[in-house]
Amino acid sequence: MPISDSLVTVEITEYQHSLSINRPASGLSLQGRVRVPGDKSISHRALMLGAIAQGETQIQGLLLGEDPRSTASCFRAMGAEISELNTELVRVQGIGLGKLKEPVDMLNAGNSGTTMRLMLGLLASHPDRLFVMTGDSSLRSRPMSRVVKPLQQMGAQIWGRQGGSLAPLAIQGQILKPIHYHSPIASAQVKSCILLAALMAEGQTTVTEPALSRDHSERMLKAFGAELSLEPETHSVTITGPAQLSGQKVVVPGDISSAAFWLVAGAIVPGSELLIENVGINPTRTGVLQALSMMGADIQLENQRDVTGESVADLRVRSGSLKGCTIAGDLIPQLIDEIPILAVAAVFAQGKTVIRDAAELRVKESDRITVMATQLNRLGARVTELSDGLEITGGMPLCGTDVDSHADHRIAMSLAIAALNATGTTTIHGAEAAAISYPDFIATLQRVCG
Ligand code: S3P
């Protein structure tokens, strides 16, 4: 059954949504204000810390995507009372540290790596309880050894396919001991998993990473009352257990990873101007702004303010010409989720863009290096796959055709933005994946193209 207007058509079949974008021959421009949904990383953490704290946590602006829904349903299954999810006010009645109940069935993290990896730390530290965790086919193929190994060093007992590296995973909770873990990768999921496991371990646990990853866990754990110290020069964080956590009020800012789609759309579609309101600009997340600024994009930060421990601003983007650049090194963890949409920006930039040091993209919801290269090339772009990134020669004209999200939300939305500058009709199969992090994406696209 197609829902359509002249520009955007959604075809819904039993299995898939196909999103068709029919760019008018006369072109289009994007105008207006956009409010992006709540930050996914902060939404997960607010639900989790709320569930294990003492007393009530109130969350405003929660992301209503599929991923936080998975987190909420797992914690409900372990005894936490979480009110119906909405953006106005979600109340979480914390059951207290160490009090999660043994669930009567498997915990299902759906598509969400953050749910599975962060929860593993918490579950491993609940003695005398057995937990079994699974997820969808994408999550069951993603590496879990990166968190299982440090947890085992703390004394955790975890079993899974391929030596404990793939879900489903069984976790027999234990009293854990503190460690100093030198993570081989800059990953907020690894760091957060260990910090959550350490909440009940007696003594000091330190995580050192090769580059700084997003620090929402550190900020929120401190706000909930944990004793935490940071050593920025060595990218280290130390937590002292056992912690005392008490419920808080959390206001979730808009997700800069969702704002990135409109930043790039506004930059590449000629004649556009968009104001993206209430976007979280935590410095560990703003790599996308740095990368777009290197490409020459016209983006201004307005109305900067602080909201419950996180910086927020409105972002104004105006279209203009872009130039290629190199994105690599320590900047990568600060824009890791935005690389698919930055690749789209690069396709419309003059000259070459090189993205390196981003091998992590191969183990996201899909292999984002291969999928972005193949799908953009189908549209006529010139993209070469590197082992750890992409090389993109910008300025090739794109021509609409059928492309596939590979069930990856960020790929679906990135391809939709690319389609705005492709001639004719582009059909994105598997566009329903956008609901993982941005349920209103298609409606917003229709409105700003209006
Ligand atoms: C996230 C951390 C990142 C990111 C993911 C969310 C988090 O993963 O890609 O979408 O909320 O901690 P890694 O920590 O594996 O890089």
Side-chain angles (χ1 to χ4, degrees):
M1 171 231 316
I3 305 169
S4 88
D5 66 12
S6 57
L7 182 85
V8 179
T9 310
V10 185
E11 180 93 35
I12 302 172
T13 69
E14 200 176 338
Y15 303 108
Q16 271 207 334
H17 294 195
S18 300
L19 167 65
S20 291
I21 302 199
N22 322 295
R23 183 171 174 274
S26 56
L28 77 151
S29 70
L30 311 181
Q31 303 292 336
R33 291 165 180 258
V34 177
R35 266 213 163 221
V36 288
D39 187 279
K40 183 157 79 67
S41 295
I42 298 177
S43 295
H44 283 300
R45 288 159 173 81
L47 289 166
M48 290 186 190
L49 293 194
I52 58 167
Q54 205 65 253
E56 183 175 277
T57 287
Q58 298 183 357
I59 310 171
Q60 275 176 36
L62 188 87
L63 166 64
L64 300 183
E66 298 298 328
D67 274 9
R69 288 185 192 281
S70 297
T71 293
S73 77
C74 288
F75 279 88
R76 284 182 179 129
M78 294 186 289
E81 268 179 50
I82 303 174
S83 66
E84 196 192 321
L85 301 191
N86 62 61
T87 52
E88 276 86 60
L89 182 63
V90 174
R91 291 177 190 274
V92 184
Q93 309 302 333
I95 54 178
L97 206 53
K99 302 274 171 50
L100 292 173
K101 296 198 178 73
E102 185 175 86
V104 295
D105 203 345
M106 279 208 271
L107 296 167
N108 193 337
N111 190 245
S112 175
T114 308
T115 307
M116 182 168 280
R117 294 195 177 118
L118 269 58
M119 263 177 52
L120 269 169
L122 277 179
L123 307 187
S125 60
H126 275 69
D128 307 323
R129 272 148 280 189
L130 179 76
F131 307 89
V132 183
M133 288 195 75
T134 191
D136 70 7
S137 59
S138 152
L139 189 54
R140 278 184 273 114
S141 70
R142 294 179 66 185
M144 292 298 142
S145 41
R146 57 183 57 198
V147 286
V148 169
K149 279 192 185 139
L151 289 174
Q152 284 171 338
Q153 284 178 26
M154 297 176 83
Q157 284 196 19
I158 301 171
W159 299 268
R161 292 184 299 127
Q162 295 193 13
S165 67
L166 294 180
L169 296 166
I171 305 108
Q172 175 68 62
Q174 302 292 327
I175 295 174
L176 300 184
K177 56 177 192 291
I179 55 167
H180 185 162
Y181 188 65
H182 292 267
S183 178
I185 43 173
S187 160
Q189 294 181 352
V190 172
K191 173 173 63 178
S192 306
C193 166
I194 299 168
L195 293 177
L196 292 177
L199 285 171
M200 288 199 291
E202 187 108 26
Q204 292 195 323
T205 293
T206 302
V207 184
T208 300
E209 15 177 30
L212 186 61
S213 64
R214 64 191 68 191
D215 67 359
H216 304 299
S217 294
E218 293 92 306
R219 286 169 188 257
M220 207 182 287
L221 278 165
K222 255 193 178 168
F224 274 69
E227 204 185 312
L228 219 89
S229 61
L230 307 173
E231 215 183 275
E233 309 78 57
T234 58
H235 314 302
S236 299
V237 50
T238 298
I239 187 163
T240 306
Q244 300 271 344
L245 302 182
S246 44
Q248 298 295 314
K249 289 192 171 138
V250 181
V251 180
V252 183
D255 198 329
I256 192 165
S257 300
S258 298
F261 299 109
W262 307 119
L263 289 174
V264 171
I268 63 171
V269 177
S272 298
E273 178 170 345
L274 293 172
L275 183 68
I276 309 143
E277 296 173 325
N278 191 42
V279 181
I281 51 162
N282 174 314
T284 61
R285 296 284 300 281
T286 45
V288 63
L289 299 179
Q290 286 181 55
L292 287 172
S293 145
M294 285 192 278
M295 296 175 101
D298 177 359
I299 297 172
Q300 271 152 29
L301 271 62
E302 298 177 0
N303 191 17
Q304 283 195 45
R305 59 232 185 242
D306 259 24
V307 181
T308 60
E310 293 279 356
S311 300
V312 172
D314 302 333
L315 308 181
R316 187 180 295 278
V317 56
R318 293 187 185 89
S319 61
S321 60
L322 298 182
K323 57 181 191 295
C325 72
T326 297
I327 304 172
D330 286 2
L331 190 55
I332 293 293
Q334 324 227 327
L335 47 66
I336 188 75
D337 291 340
E338 289 71 73
I339 292 176
I341 189 63
L342 283 169
V344 171
V347 164
F348 298 104
Q350 285 310 314
K352 197 176 272 185
T353 296
V354 180
I355 302 170
R356 297 228 71 141
D357 306 318
E360 272 296 299
L361 290 179
R362 295 208 179 269
V363 290
K364 293 291 179 190
E365 287 83 331
S366 69
D367 176 342
R368 288 180 174 162
I369 293 178
T370 298
V371 174
M372 280 313 287
T374 52
Q375 302 308 301
L376 287 174
N377 285 340
R378 282 181 66 79
L379 289 164
R382 193 181 294 166
V383 182
T384 308
E385 226 184 275
L386 308 173
S387 60
D388 63 347
L390 296 164
E391 191 176 286
I392 300 157
T393 304
M396 311 301 291
L398 295 202
C399 178
T401 186
D402 282 32
V403 287
D404 198 306
S405 76
H406 288 248
D408 184 328
H409 53 131
R410 300 205 195 278
I411 304 278
M413 293 184 275
S414 299
L415 293 173
I417 300 303
L420 297 175
N421 264 2
T423 53
T425 301
T426 303
T427 298
I428 299 133
H429 297 281
E432 73 281 0
I436 292 289
S437 61
Y438 201 155
D440 290 338
F441 176 77
I442 295 173
T444 305
L445 183 66
Q446 281 171 317
R447 188 169 57 75
V448 295
C449 291

